[in-house]
Amino acid sequence: PVLASNLSCLPEVAGDAALFVDPRDVEAMSAAMLKLVSNVDLRETLRKKGFERVEQFSWQSSAANLLRVYRDLAQYS
């Protein structure tokens, strides 16, 4: 399971596969850690979602998206 900052692009990258906290809020971070430690179901859910999420960021997926961008740009040249 992932506990991450709710700032920058991390929520976009992790999606629903992580718990997010304000990194400046020590109490919130501590509470989230305790939540992960004490909640087996939450840990298992986030773990499964993490493995599903990582599939969206394969090299093949990235290459296909880049090719799509190039093709779209070529239509306007």
Side-chain angles (χ1 to χ4, degrees):
V2 173
L3 175 61
S5 167
N6 63 1
L7 303 177
S8 77
C9 66
L10 293 176
E12 180 181 350
V13 172
D16 66 348
L19 282 183
F20 299 100
V21 296
D22 183 334
R24 299 164 296 201
D25 187 342
V26 176
E27 288 81 21
M29 198 177 305
S30 176
M33 286 180 187
L34 287 173
K35 187 175 183 178
L36 284 174
V37 168
S38 64
N39 190 328
V40 176
D41 292 334
L42 176 60
R43 284 196 316 266
E44 183 63 17
T45 298
L46 291 176
R47 187 187 70 77
K48 286 180 181 177
K49 287 182 177 186
F51 282 115
E52 293 168 5
R53 187 76 176 156
V54 76
E55 292 297 320
Q56 298 174 16
F57 297 98
S58 69
W59 281 111
Q60 185 162 347
S61 173
S62 295
N65 287 332
L66 185 58
L67 180 60
R68 189 173 20 257
V69 168
Y70 284 154
R71 286 182 176 157
D72 289 346
L73 290 173
Q75 290 178 347
Y76 298 106
S77 297

